[in-house]
Amino acid sequence: MIQMIDYKRKLAETAVKANNSGKKSFKPDVLLKGYSTNDYKDDDAYHEINKAAYQLEECGYFKIQKVNPKATGAAMIKRIDLILDKVDELANMYGLTQKSNLFDEVKTFLKKYSESEYEQLANFVNEQIAMVQKGRYPKYMQKDDYSQLEMLVKAANFMFGNQEDIYIRTASQDIFHDSKKLEGKVEEHLFEVFGEGFGSKDEMLNFHHIFKVSPQVRFKGNAKIVLKDGREWDITFNDGDLGFGETMISKIDSIQTNNILSIENITPFADFRHHDFDGLLIFCSGFANNLNIEFLKKTNCPIFHSGDLDAN
């Protein structure tokens, strides 16, 4: 069974898209390739497009410019001009979204965050509102779709407010009710807008306590770990790298060692030679997160830090 194409609707959609893009006319070639050069392969489509276009002209929505101005009837069309004050009516007839209506919708959404307590987010949002007020598309808005902008703002609002260590997919579920949506484009956009001063997406997310693996404290060295149930565990550098998550750390009563050295970067942590150092090394990946802090609270000894100062 051949499904008939509603060319009136197709013409209406094309007209609304043209208007949203600031154009005042369009050619039938948008609907039928080769229309203007008589190189089309579907005679039926050619006649149906003409019929629909002239009917919409009769209703006052278009002004058709013919290839031959003297031709009568549904003659070949050179250009379809929009009747601008009728575009809203045409859009409403077919349930289409006008740019002006969509921009109002975008502004309504953005204004919820325009006075955010998070200065970086408020600044970004207000920049986008200013663009919309000038009739320009804000960042991450694609024509009639602002979902990427919406997800970016919602993710940033969560990220800046987050104080607890959290797995990225748990964060995504909390924000979007979808465990995978935060990864990919959304995190890329977050880094593009809010990543100044960070070396990577992961570093930025980790700073805000969002992790791509279940958070662990990574450490090695000489120490005695005393658990709350009385068990004790003596570790040495020979045991290599160890990692404790939140559950394990909550079971620790104390960590007994002479010194602690936290190291910002993974390479010196991995290459550290333990000669003449009697203590515990902790890798803190740039910034001490909540789990690192809980681990350090179990100790009672001098704590030193090895890191670098970035130019910015």
Side-chain angles (χ1 to χ4, degrees):
M1 182 178 178
I2 299 175
Q3 185 176 2
M4 299 298 292
I5 297 174
D6 184 349
Y7 280 108
K8 281 187 181 180
R9 181 178 183 84
K10 290 288 185 182
L11 285 162
E13 290 173 349
T14 305
V16 170
K17 286 181 180 179
N19 187 59
N20 284 348
S21 300
K23 298 176 181 177
K24 297 180 181 180
S25 64
F26 64 94
K27 293 183 177 182
D29 300 70
V30 177
L31 300 181
L32 180 62
K33 186 177 180 181
Y35 180 101
S36 297
T37 58
N38 288 312
D39 194 28
Y40 52 84
K41 297 179 180 180
D42 189 339
D43 285 332
D44 289 338
Y46 171 83
H47 292 296
E48 288 299 321
I49 289 170
N50 283 6
K51 179 182 175 182
Y54 281 104
Q55 286 176 349
L56 288 172
E57 183 186 43
E58 287 179 13
C59 295
Y61 298 116
F62 296 154
K63 176 63 178 174
I64 292 176
Q65 305 298 329
K66 300 177 182 179
V67 173
N68 179 1
K70 296 181 180 180
T72 59
M76 188 174 187
I77 299 169
K78 178 181 180 181
R79 188 181 73 238
I80 298 174
D81 294 337
L82 307 181
I83 306 300
L84 297 180
D85 59 2
K86 298 282 282 185
V87 176
D88 281 342
E89 183 181 322
L90 183 62
N92 291 334
M93 183 188 304
Y94 289 97
L96 306 173
T97 304
Q98 271 284 71
K99 179 179 177 180
S100 57
N101 297 336
L102 187 62
F103 273 19
D104 287 341
E105 192 177 315
V106 174
K107 279 194 293 185
T108 299
F109 166 72
L110 291 172
K111 282 182 178 178
K112 297 176 186 176
Y113 302 89
S114 62
E115 297 182 4
S116 171
E117 62 184 295
Y118 313 120
E119 184 178 359
Q120 284 178 278
L121 177 58
N123 289 342
F124 172 76
V125 164
N126 285 308
E127 287 172 5
Q128 306 321 303
I129 291 174
M131 290 178 70
V132 171
Q133 289 172 337
K134 294 177 182 177
R136 296 166 56 193
Y137 285 101
K139 275 190 173 182
Y140 307 110
M141 180 174 172
Q142 304 294 325
K143 300 300 181 183
D144 57 351
D145 178 14
Y146 68 95
S147 60
Q148 290 297 319
L149 173 61
E150 182 179 25
M151 287 190 288
L152 167 62
V153 171
K154 287 182 177 180
N157 186 62
F158 179 92
M159 181 180 76
F160 287 123
N162 183 52
Q163 298 297 322
E164 300 295 330
D165 293 343
I166 190 170
Y167 179 41
I168 189 169
R169 293 200 171 178
T170 304
S172 184
Q173 185 67 34
D174 288 348
I175 303 166
F176 304 118
H177 307 292
D178 182 322
S179 64
K180 298 181 181 179
K181 193 164 282 188
L182 182 54
E183 296 172 274
K185 280 188 178 180
V186 178
E187 64 172 326
E188 288 173 10
H189 295 163
L190 278 171
F191 186 63
E192 287 169 3
V193 177
F194 305 110
E196 185 177 355
F198 298 102
S200 66
K201 294 178 292 185
D202 289 354
E203 185 179 327
M204 177 192 69
L205 292 171
N206 292 353
F207 177 75
H208 294 287
H209 311 293
I210 300 172
F211 299 89
K212 290 190 174 179
V213 294
S214 296
Q216 286 190 331
V217 174
R218 187 172 173 182
F219 63 95
K220 61 184 176 180
N222 301 322
K224 180 190 290 290
I225 298 175
V226 181
L227 302 182
K228 291 178 180 177
D229 63 7
R231 287 180 294 167
E232 297 181 355
W233 185 18
D234 290 313
I235 63 170
T236 69
F237 275 100
N238 293 331
D239 293 313
D241 293 5
L242 301 170
F244 281 179
E246 182 179 5
T247 301
M248 186 61 198
I249 292 173
S250 68
K251 296 178 180 179
I252 296 175
D253 180 67
S254 65
I255 300 172
Q256 299 170 13
T257 188
N258 292 325
N259 300 283
I260 288 180
L261 174 61
S262 65
I263 298 182
E264 178 180 353
N265 298 310
I266 188 61
T267 301
F269 174 82
D271 292 346
F272 188 87
R273 300 294 179 261
H274 58 269
H275 306 297
D276 301 323
F277 180 78
D278 184 20
L280 203 60
L281 262 65
I282 297 177
F283 171 57
C284 63
S285 187
F287 304 92
N289 59 45
N290 290 346
L291 210 56
N292 295 141
I293 293 169
E294 288 304 312
F295 185 86
L296 292 171
K297 285 180 180 178
K298 306 291 184 178
T299 68
N300 185 20
C301 66
I303 300 174
F304 304 92
H305 178 70
S306 172
D308 57 71
L309 295 175
D310 297 321
N312 56 357

